Amino acid sequence: MSTPVRSLAAAGDAARLLTPRRLREMALALRRDVRQFEPPSEPDPALVSVVREPYDSVEDAAERLRELEARLADRGDRRAVFLTVYTRMTERIRARIADGYFADPAWMRTYTTTFANYYRRAFLAFERGEVGAVPDPWRVAFGTALRGDALASQDAFLGINAHINYDLALTLADVGIDPDRAARRDDHRAVDGVLARLVDVQQEILAETYAAGVADVDVALGRLDERLSLAAITGGREYAWRIAVVLADAGWGPVASVARWVLRATATGGAFVLRGPPLDPAVTDRLRAFEREGATLETLLATLRVELDERADA
């Protein structure tokens, strides 16, 4: 495909990114202020030391992500929640690369390492208080975790949103989806199969480590919550590929600029969707107690129903 034709196609692809859902997310991002999410008052040297230098391999990324997770968990820092999930994902991808699961293992190693470095840079900037260098979706995720006012599942999915719905498209643009675009798309999509096997494990880990009540909700919902979790992740990964295609094909600068803006705005709006409307602190405390100690799905829904009814009557 010639460069002018590709550029025209990229403009069309960029326009198709603006689905009703993405437009709602963009509108929400414009209405909310990420500056409410503050970094630590002082950087922790022990945390900074783990993420200061770039990861130079998948093995290095997996090892240092796990070390960072352990240090955060020791401090009771809820930024560990996302890392508990992400370290397992990284380790599973590393194992599948070694098993020959992917057609282009060299590309997948670069892809996985580059992806991890996006997280590392965002974490380092936030920890140092360099908020101008923190992408907005990560500022919401990290700031929410530091506040400690969300559920464990929200902390996990806020991190997943920032990493998949923001970092992944930029990772693909960095490592390149050409010259064999079809083969690289297949390897990118093959990751979905690896993640599908991790959804149950993710819930087990969250239940064992942070929120015993997750297991009760899991039983109550059967396979529905796993399907919803996987659909959110795979849908975000497919959207990241579409953004990467626009960035690769957009010879006209403004198209690429618009695509990057849409990427940031939709991921930021998605973060505010995941945070949800502010609840009464007493309701939040009860929901978090349910997470820790267990509760039936009916109890969880009844608690939320009372809160919504009280708001309607106010």
Side-chain angles (χ1 to χ4, degrees), residues 14-249:
R16 284 188 287 275
L17 295 173
L18 302 177
T19 64
R21 170 194 164 186
R22 302 298 179 181
L23 289 169
R24 288 193 297 271
E25 290 171 343
M26 291 163 61
L28 187 57
L30 291 171
R31 293 199 304 270
R32 300 292 179 86
D33 189 352
V34 300
R35 289 176 296 181
Q36 64 185 285
F37 300 102
E38 296 291 342
S41 55
E42 293 290 337
D44 185 327
L47 299 179
V48 169
S49 68
V50 183
V51 294
R52 182 184 295 113
E53 299 300 325
Y55 305 133
D56 58 19
S57 67
V58 179
E59 292 73 19
D60 181 37
E63 180 180 342
R64 287 203 276 148
L65 286 169
R66 183 172 283 279
E67 183 178 355
L68 180 60
E69 176 202 356
R71 294 189 182 192
L72 290 169
D74 286 347
R75 291 158 171 74
D77 188 321
R78 289 176 67 89
R79 286 177 292 177
V81 176
F82 167 68
L83 272 182
T84 296
V85 176
Y86 184 42
T87 54
R88 274 93 181 151
M89 291 181 175
T90 304
E91 288 164 355
R92 186 64 63 88
I93 295 296
R94 176 180 63 175
R96 298 306 273 161
I97 291 172
D99 291 343
Y101 180 76
F102 300 103
D104 190 342
W107 185 73
M108 281 303 303
R109 282 193 289 271
T110 303
Y111 168 111
T112 306
T113 305
T114 303
F115 191 39
N117 271 312
Y118 267 94
Y119 169 81
R120 181 195 60 79
R121 287 192 296 270
F123 185 94
L124 178 61
F126 189 80
E127 184 64 23
R128 285 175 164 171
E130 299 167 355
V131 291
V134 182
D136 289 349
W138 276 121
R139 187 162 178 181
V140 178
F142 291 143
T144 296
L146 277 191
R147 286 181 178 183
D149 63 353
L151 304 177
S153 54
Q154 286 176 291
D155 285 325
F157 272 98
L158 281 166
I160 290 170
N161 170 72
H163 208 29
I164 290 180
N165 289 331
Y166 183 73
D167 293 343
L168 186 54
L170 301 177
T171 296
L172 287 164
D174 286 351
V175 300
I177 60 174
D178 294 314
D180 194 348
R181 184 175 295 190
R184 291 183 173 179
R185 181 188 60 210
D186 289 345
D187 272 349
H188 171 73
R189 289 178 175 172
V191 174
D192 294 346
V194 179
L195 298 182
R197 298 178 182 90
L198 279 172
V199 172
D200 280 332
V201 175
Q202 167 193 314
Q203 292 187 330
E204 291 170 7
I205 292 167
L206 289 177
E208 291 171 2
T209 310
Y210 303 103
V214 170
D216 293 322
V217 176
D218 186 40
V219 171
L221 291 177
R223 295 296 302 174
L224 176 60
D225 55 333
E226 283 88 347
R227 289 197 294 271
L228 291 174
S229 296
L230 185 60
I233 293 171
T234 56
R237 289 180 50 76
E238 186 62 26
Y239 190 74
W241 179 267
R242 292 173 59 198
I243 291 276
V245 168
V246 171
L247 294 177
D249 292 347

Side-chain angles (χ1 to χ4, degrees), residues 265-285:
T266 55
T268 304
F272 281 111
V273 169
L274 287 167
R275 273 193 56 86
L279 296 175
D280 183 274
V283 174
T284 301
D285 289 343

